[in-house]
Amino acid sequence: MPASTAMILASIGVISLFCQWLAWRVRMPAILFLLIGGIVAGPVTGFLQPEAVFDDLLFPLISLAVAIILFEGSLTLRAEEIRSHGKMVRNLIPVGSIVTCTIGTLAARWILDVPWEVALLFGAISVVTGPTVIAPLLRAVRPTSSIANILRWEGIIIDPVGALLAVLVFEGIVSWGQGNVFGHSAWIFGKTLMVGFLIGAGAGYLNGLALRKHWLPQYLHNAGTLTFMLGVYVLSNELAHESGLLTVTVMGIWMANMKQVPVEDILEFKESLSVLLISALFIILAARVDFGSIAELGWGLAAVLAVLMLLARPVSIFLSAIGTSLNWREKVYLSWIAPRGIVAAAVSALFAFQLERIGFEGADVLVPMVFMLIITTVTLQSLTARPFARLLSVQEPPAHGFLILGANPVARLIAEALQKHDVPVMLTDTNWENVRQARMKNMPVYFGNPVSEHAATHMDLTGIGNVLILSPYKQLNSLATYHFLDWFGDGSVFSLSEGDQDQRARLQTAGKIQRTRGLFSEASYAKLASLVSQGYTVKTTHLREEFGYQQFLDQYQNQPLVLFVMDSRKHIRPVRSMEELEPEEDWTLISLVPPQPKKERKERKERGN
């Protein structure tokens, strides 16, 4: 009995959820499993046939979903970030885009003999990597900070830049096809650019102004922005054929670079939308893959992919690295890592669909070429990235740093003490004043929700292997504990006691959260904040034969609270209970100690002299 439409739609959601979960478990990009799931549901089993299910709605649904993807990506493109992340990143965006597009175009044209229009579009689409495929890979491999920063920011910035390049190429192809003479085609292309840039900039400014001036209530910011963006997309297409994608990309970039526009909440809203909409989109797109078209391309397709991976990427890296301090090992490793992501898949499917509708020959091979590029790069590079990093000695040693949830005065004191011992720290807080104070002390800090997808992409966790929950926000603490236990594992997440009353109310919570609590001898955040307000400070004490642990306790009348111990091998770990603490000679204690009376400080100073 054939499956009903309702069953097929529900199955798409179930498959997308399973693929997302599987990617999370094995720490690989979700796009790989979404594509595999769509291929199994589509051409392998025949269960999902998108054209039969969606009929005339298929193209509008795909185009609206791609508009959302490009708009979200463009919201992350801030001009100051391009300038602030080093010469290599600044070089790699223009140089890498030009080199990859040129070599990809020539390879597709000369090896596969596809039309120039399709070859040029393939070259433009192959530029895009994206944070959704880079971030999981970096977490699993842990390359050196210089490599991690280059790859992460390249993915974040090239996502909208590459998409904009692909949109411009597509607009040029379509507009040229509408004219029999050069002048008319140039006019169509110019009209498309004019409409895209003018309406995009105007819509971005208007929407940013509405958010900044609070013309909309807070609860309508996300839904209002999304609805307005889709309306602008359709209006732009009505004024100039297929200019909508350019319009929404410009709109997002404009909003991202306006001052005091709260785009972070919109990006966070996109996360839930992406899990439902975008995950389903890629299953639908993969279900349309024609294995017959892939087979017809034969070994020529493998040769094109090899040229992109083994020639275009290394040339881009080595040209961009001229004048930088990267060594040859780092350049070689960067030359291998360039997995393609969500934007490439979505844009290729939409553009191929549109080219087929207006009668371009050979457009049907664009999707198989791009999808094989995605599957090949994600699979090969995910499997080989870690051993290759070890072989080239570009992998970080075991991470011993701390992600500190909270940038409050207590957290800043502790972070400052850890930094003095060269322990990497990263603070995160949703309170801007706390974040500002941390930045004034030159502490690395992330402003926003630490369990969001935006944080997973943008928060630099290089050298971080532990988590300290030092926040007064109890609900966020529990959520973050669950989240980071899955990231870092048991024994690496430590949180403060929530207090007796809270513990009784939460007896039904999972045992793994309870195992993380009890840090610093069952101290709560309120207790630590109270001690700091009383003048307690963080002090480092080195134990030796003539001054042992008991002398340390006696010196402060048994009032100090030992926070961390560092053993003779320089391994540092937080203290759960001082009653069980038995430090040895040559260990170092990092403690919260009470203020000493002036008389005692003077006597100690005299004894020291």
Side-chain angles (χ1 to χ4, degrees), residues 251-262:
M251 177 182 172
I253 294 174
W254 192 281
M255 289 179 59
N257 289 276
M258 282 184 69
K259 294 182 178 180
Q260 299 178 345
V261 176

Side-chain angles (χ1 to χ4, degrees), residues 140-155:
V141 177
R142 294 186 300 103
T144 58
S145 59
S146 59
I147 291 178
N149 285 330
I150 290 170
L151 289 175
R152 179 169 54 256
W153 284 106
E154 179 200 9

Side-chain angles (χ1 to χ4, degrees), residues 179-415:
N180 297 321
V181 296
F182 177 82
H184 182 65
S185 295
W187 157 247
I188 296 295
F189 183 56
K191 178 184 176 183
T192 301
L193 293 183
M194 182 178 64
V195 169
F197 279 101
L198 289 180
I199 293 185
Y205 175 76
L206 181 61
N207 199 88
L209 196 63
L211 297 179
R212 189 168 62 191
K213 298 288 187 179
H214 300 286
W215 292 346
L216 290 175
Q218 182 68 34
Y219 73 93
L220 284 181
H221 279 196
N222 297 332
T225 298
L226 177 64
T227 305
F228 181 63
M229 180 273 296
L230 293 176
V232 169
Y233 169 73
V234 174
L235 174 64
S236 180
N237 279 338
E238 292 295 324
L239 295 176
H241 186 60
E242 302 303 345
S243 63
L245 295 179
L246 175 60
T247 298
V248 298
T249 303
V250 174
M251 177 182 172
I253 294 174
W254 192 281
M255 289 179 59
N257 289 276
M258 282 184 69
K259 294 182 178 180
Q260 299 178 345
V261 176
V263 297
E264 289 79 11
D265 291 340
I266 299 172
L267 288 169
E268 189 171 341
F269 167 71
K270 169 262 172 191
E271 295 173 21
S272 299
L273 185 66
S274 66
V275 173
L276 295 174
L277 176 63
I278 299 175
S279 298
L281 171 67
F282 287 106
I283 291 175
I284 294 171
L285 295 180
R288 299 183 69 248
V289 172
D290 184 2
F291 281 104
S293 299
I294 296 176
E296 290 178 3
L297 295 174
W299 290 105
L301 178 57
V304 171
L305 300 183
V307 167
L308 280 171
M309 296 172 63
L310 303 178
L311 177 61
R313 179 64 175 180
V315 170
S316 300
I317 292 296
F318 277 83
L319 286 179
S320 302
I322 295 175
T324 68
S325 59
L326 294 177
N327 59 46
W328 71 268
R329 289 185 177 87
E330 293 170 325
K331 295 175 188 176
V332 170
Y333 190 76
L334 290 169
S335 298
W336 176 240
I337 305 298
R340 271 56 174 192
I342 284 176
V343 171
V347 170
S348 66
L350 178 61
F351 288 171
F353 203 83
Q354 292 173 315
L355 290 177
E356 289 175 9
R357 291 182 65 188
I358 59 179
F360 269 87
E361 294 185 4
D364 57 320
V365 302
L366 181 62
V367 170
M369 291 169 64
V370 173
F371 273 48
M372 286 305 298
L373 175 64
I374 294 170
I375 293 173
T376 302
T377 54
V378 171
T379 303
L380 284 181
Q381 293 169 13
S382 295
L383 294 176
T384 60
R386 184 179 294 176
F388 199 36
R390 286 198 297 264
L391 178 65
L392 292 173
S393 301
V394 294
Q395 193 173 28
E396 287 280 357
H400 64 285
F402 289 87
L403 170 65
I404 301 178
L405 185 64
N408 47 69
V410 174
R412 295 197 299 269
L413 274 177
I414 293 175

